[in-house]
Structures are given as C-alpha cells and as structure tokens.
Amino acid sequence: MTKDWNTRTKLVHEGIRRSQYGEMAEALFLTQGFVYPSAEVAEERFLHAGPDEFIYARYGNPTTRMFEDRIAAIEGTEDAFACASGMAAVNAALTSQVKAGDHIVAARQMFGSCLYVLKVLQGFGVEVTLVDGTQLAEWDAAIKPNTKLCFFESVSNPGLEVIDITGVAKIAHAHGAKLVVDNVFASPVFSNAVAQGADIIVYSTTKHIDGGGRALGGVVCGDREFIRGPLETYAKHTGGAMSPYHAWLHLSGMQTLDLRVRAQAESAAKVAKAAEGHPALNRSIYPGLPSHPQHDLAMAQMGSGGTMVALDLKGGKEAAFKFLNALEIVKISNNLGDAKSIATHPATTTHKNLTEDERAEIKITPGMVRISIGIEDGDDLVKDIVGALDAV
Ligand SMILES: *Cc1c(COP(=O)(O)O)cnc(C)c1O
C-alpha cells in the first residue's frame, strides 16, 4: 500500500490491516494457526498463500505482516521478514545465501555474536575473510570469484567506525557479490542504505525500533524475490520467526521512531561535544563530531552522527567503572536505542569473549564506555555525564 507518504506518516499508518471491526489501533492476532473453510482452501493455501493468507505463525501472521510492511516501506525495500531477534535476522540473512565453498568478506569491527555466526559458517566450509571495514582497498583485495557476500555494520559496535556503503557496494557488485548491511546503529531513520547500494539490510528491532527496551526482535529487508524466496524458506523452516506479540509492541514503538531517534541524536551531539576535551578522556567518539575520522562520510551517509556516543577514558577499566558508578540518569546496562539512556563497558560485558588483542584490533580499549543516548532532556544528560567524568 506504499503511497507517496513521508516517513512519519508511514510510521503511523503503513501496513495496517483492519479486521471486520474496523479497530483503530493495530490488532494483536495472538494465534499460531488459521482455520480454513474447506479442505480445498487448505490445499490451495499450502500451494501458494497470498499476502493476506496465513498458514502458521512460524511462516507469518497478520500482526507480524503489518510490522514487515511498515518497516519495508520506510526502508524502501520491496519486502521484509521479521525474525525472533537481531541475531536470528543476521543468521538467516547470511546462512540462507551461502553453501560450502562460498566466500564471505566481512568487517572485523563487529558485534561479537555476528562474528560468532561467521565462525559457525566457517565450520560448515564457508570461507570468511575479515578486513578493516573502513579501508576500501582491503575489501577490494579480499574479494574473490567465489565471494557471495560482503557484510558489515554501517556504524560499528561499539567503536562507532563508519563504513562506506556506496564504496563497498560498488566493489561487491563489480564481482557479482551481494552486500548485507547490519544497520542497527544508523537506525531506519538515518538509513539511506538502499539508495547507497545495499542489497539486504538487517536490523535488531530490539533497539531503536522497539524503543522501549521491551521486546526482542529482528528484521531482514530486501527485494521480494530474496525475502519471499531463500530468506523466508530458511527462516520459516529453522524457526526464527518473530512473535506476533513482539511485532505488535514494535508497531506501537514505530509510531514514535522518527521523533525519538531525532531527539536522541540531537542530545547525543550535545553530550559528545560537551565531553570532548575533558581531562579524564583520551577521546569523545561520535561520528557527528568533526574530530571523528569518518565525520564527512557519516554526514554524507546518514545526515547525522546517530544516537550513540563512545567515551575513551584515560584511566582504563578503573576510571571507566568510576565513571559508570557515578552516573545517575544514565543506567548501566547493555541494550541500546532505548528511550532510557544506557552506558555499557564493552571490554567486560558485550565484547568480553574477545581476547585483549582482538579487542585492541577493533579499538575497544579497557577505558571505553559506550553510551546509548535516550529521550531524556539533553541538558540533564550533559550534566549527568560530564558530572560523572568530573568525579573520575
Ligand atoms: C544488538 C545487535 C545485534 C543483535 O540483535 P539482538 O536483537 O540482540 O539479537 C546485531 N547487530 C548489532 C549491531 C547490534 O547492536
């Protein structure tokens, strides 16, 4: 039903399916199955189910489909498939496209679980080459005739390095490979990934899309041939479908996605700027700061620095812990994109499974704290965060 609407309008209305009752809010169809009026209809449905015909919630559900249509519409892809978590989406997006003997080139600076999925694929005979994602020459050098996929996080977790979607897409497409982008940190609000050449875009919807830190989810966005072909086939048979209840929560979260993320990015810019140059810090890392090494690329690619700030404290783990324990508004946790601001110490939590050398290679220092800026008042956040730096 995609109309010539702008994002905020789509986020409220796109994809809605109303029952015979004409309910205003999106209905929650909490059902695993569907009743067929006759055996002939059941037979027909299993042969080819139309977009409004459902079989089993692992394959699809009206509430989940509303969510898929809404996200596809704002991302600008033909279709989308909702998964149980961001990792179910990453796993399906990669695994559905490769077999033994194929090759994947991926950025080294990535979320630990994404690296784990690549390791599993290697165990099944898929070749994987990791590169420094910010260096286009490394992508170019790594790609081979059997390369099927290039894969990276457009803004890396937690180092906030920005990778050039257009640049890597050109290299991938010149060699007949597809580009899969994990776009969580950009969020759909600052994503122009389709126009920039990404073939498949993956989100952990647990983050900005839910926006309230309530429901785990993920989604794969792409063209219809891929989404309703190999991706859906893989996802529906391996059990990674999103719960209709989570889709329903996400639909409600999405109505305010654009408002929230823009407000969060505005506060993130304030915080990063206020912290920059603080004597307790080596660096205030934020793609929106002119001092960020990929600042120009970030602005061209996303038009914003995003909602995440990383602070690299001089005093290592001890200083980072002092800082975390001095925060009042910002909570110590490990989600991101939440309405509530959250601070994480990657070296001892989300990235603790990497060796010290592996962490160093992707610039995760013992003093690094990752902050997800929420929708609280920006000046309050600046006071809280600079105050905690002062306490160090
Ligand atoms: C959180 C996250 C994931 C995984 O998502 P889950 O919903 O936790 O499974 C994948 N990639 C990135 C960049 C993330 O931040």
Side-chain angles (χ1 to χ4, degrees):
M1 106 170 161
T2 297
K3 299 199 176 64
D4 188 22
W5 285 337
N6 291 315
T7 299
R8 282 193 194 173
T9 311
K10 287 182 185 170
L11 282 168
V12 176
H13 292 290
E14 185 71 50
I16 202 152
R17 283 163 161 76
R18 290 198 163 89
S19 76
Q20 72 271 32
Y21 300 113
E23 66 280 357
M24 174 60 77
E26 293 79 353
L28 168 55
F29 292 94
L30 200 56
T31 178
Q32 53 61 38
F34 303 85
V35 177
Y36 315 108
S38 68
E40 287 77 12
V41 169
E43 180 186 33
E44 176 67 20
R45 187 89 43 103
F46 272 77
L47 275 176
H48 40 79
D52 269 311
E53 295 176 337
F54 299 94
I55 292 173
Y56 191 61
R58 176 153 51 74
Y59 294 22
N61 168 286
T63 307
T64 310
R65 189 58 63 82
M66 288 192 235
F67 167 72
E68 291 170 339
D69 284 354
R70 187 169 295 176
I71 186 119
I74 60 161
E75 193 61 36
T77 54
E78 286 175 2
D79 217 330
F81 191 90
C83 300
S85 68
M87 285 322 303
V90 167
N91 179 51
L94 300 179
T95 307
S96 66
Q97 298 193 76
V98 291
K99 57 181 188 329
D102 289 342
H103 179 228
I104 300 175
V105 187
R108 185 175 295 125
Q109 48 274 67
M110 206 143 49
F111 184 53
S113 304
C114 294
L115 293 171
Y116 175 77
V117 172
L118 292 172
K119 262 187 209 158
V120 171
L121 288 173
Q122 278 176 292
F124 288 111
V126 175
E127 269 186 88
V128 175
T129 306
L130 297 180
V131 298
D132 177 347
T134 61
Q135 303 299 314
L136 288 180
E138 289 200 21
W139 290 96
D140 204 35
I143 207 157
K144 302 194 291 188
N146 61 338
T147 306
K148 281 278 154 60
L149 301 176
C150 291
F151 172 51
F152 61 84
E153 292 168 5
S154 58
V155 180
S156 72
N157 176 10
L160 307 181
E161 290 188 280
V162 184
I163 297 180
D164 182 353
I165 297 176
T166 309
V168 181
K170 271 193 196 135
I171 294 167
H173 295 158
H175 293 81
K178 281 195 178 176
L179 175 57
V180 180
V181 176
D182 178 334
N183 222 10
V184 167
F185 278 40
S187 89
V189 173
F190 299 131
S191 170
N192 307 292
V194 170
Q196 288 156 352
D199 299 294
I200 293 139
I201 302 132
V202 180
Y203 289 104
S204 161
T205 58
T206 316
K207 315 291 168 58
H208 302 85
I209 290 169
D210 187 82
R214 301 166 299 184
L216 204 61
V219 70
V220 185
C221 305
D223 64 47
R224 185 153 295 127
E225 196 184 325
F226 169 66
I227 295 292
R228 295 298 156 196
L231 189 280
E232 182 186 286
T233 304
Y234 178 84
K236 77 184 183 187
H237 292 305
T238 55
M242 178 181 279
S243 150
Y245 181 57
H246 287 196
W248 180 73
L249 289 167
H250 286 351
L251 281 163
S252 135
M254 281 177 92
Q255 300 193 95
T256 57
L257 178 68
D258 192 86
L259 302 170
R260 282 185 282 111
V261 168
R262 287 184 193 281
Q264 286 167 270
E266 203 176 297
S267 296
K270 267 192 196 175
V271 166
K273 195 155 176 250
E276 191 164 48
H278 192 284
L281 290 182
N282 286 322
R283 236 164 40 102
S284 167
I285 305 166
Y286 181 63
L289 286 177
S291 59
H292 189 283
Q294 294 98 32
H295 172 67
D296 293 343
L297 172 63
M299 298 324 275
Q301 190 158 290
M302 303 189 286
S304 166
T307 65
M308 304 292 295
V309 177
L311 301 177
D312 184 16
L313 281 94
K314 276 180 188 160
K317 175 181 164 184
E318 197 189 329
F321 276 28
K322 240 188 218 168
F323 168 74
L324 286 167
N325 293 333
L327 291 166
E328 280 179 26
I329 300 170
V330 181
K331 298 294 173 250
I332 304 169
S333 189
N334 38 258
N335 192 21
L336 62 97
D338 195 320
K340 298 177 177 70
S341 293
I342 290 171
T344 311
H345 184 243
T348 54
T349 61
T350 53
H351 290 70
K352 77 164 176 20
N353 289 336
L354 301 181
T355 65
E356 192 132 352
D357 285 349
E358 285 172 323
R359 278 196 293 271
E361 204 166 14
I362 57 172
K363 302 186 186 83
I364 301 175
T365 59
M368 179 186 276
V369 175
R370 182 191 82 182
I371 305 176
S372 169
I373 299 295
I375 62 170
E376 302 95 338
D377 182 84
D379 294 330
D380 287 345
L381 292 175
V382 168
K383 251 191 257 169
D384 195 35
I385 291 164
V386 174
L389 284 175
D390 291 343
V392 178

